[in-house]
Amino acid sequence: VLGLLGQEFPMPAVGHQFSQEYDFHEALVLLVSHSGGTFSTLAVANLMKAFTSRIFVVTGEWDTQIGLALRSNSQAVFNSCVFTTNVGFRSSEPCSLSLVAIHQLLTLLLLYIANRQTQ
């Protein structure tokens, strides 16, 4: 998304022509950043605010830079758009714990949505 929309001269995705356009209007966006301060994820969040208000983030804590950026969105459809793993800040640890926590959260979210669809 940054390569296509975040530059004055957009870079095409591999295998696509220059003339191909993407419509991100009211798209559902899910961003994943354990720290909540990853440059590219934060940049995509700010960029996508112009196209949609349906932006969600999975992060390690509720109070992160990306969470603040999304909570300040006045056009937000939902009261809270931040899903947290409650793992917290981990400065020097392998990503295995973060990855397992994010996997568990996304699995529970998928099961919840599937359960709601059958009701």
Side-chain angles (χ1 to χ4, degrees):
V1 173
L2 281 177
L4 295 173
L5 300 175
Q7 317 248 350
E8 288 191 29
F9 180 77
M11 299 299 294
V14 176
H16 295 279
Q17 300 296 324
F18 282 103
S19 62
Q20 185 168 356
E21 294 182 18
Y22 295 93
D23 183 19
F24 293 113
H25 181 70
E26 292 306 314
L28 181 64
V29 179
L30 178 65
L31 303 169
V32 179
S33 171
H34 174 72
S35 67
T38 308
F39 167 75
S40 57
T41 310
L42 190 56
V44 168
N46 290 326
L47 185 64
M48 291 304 290
K49 280 185 188 180
F51 296 98
T52 183
S53 59
R54 300 173 181 163
I55 304 173
F56 298 90
V57 65
V58 176
T59 184
E61 295 178 355
W62 186 77
D63 189 23
T64 58
Q65 289 178 332
I66 195 166
L68 178 64
L70 293 180
R71 286 192 307 271
S72 67
N73 188 1
S74 61
Q75 300 175 354
V77 178
F78 303 94
N79 290 336
S80 180
C81 52
V82 178
F83 294 100
T84 179
T85 60
N86 290 322
V87 173
F89 179 72
R90 307 246 178 229
S91 60
S92 61
E93 170 186 307
C95 68
S96 57
L97 182 63
S98 307
L99 186 64
V100 169
I102 290 171
H103 182 272
Q104 176 68 17
L105 179 87
L106 292 176
T107 301
L108 290 175
L109 184 62
L110 179 64
L111 290 173
Y112 175 80
I113 292 170
N115 192 17
R116 294 282 298 191
Q117 290 294 328
T118 59
Q119 293 178 355

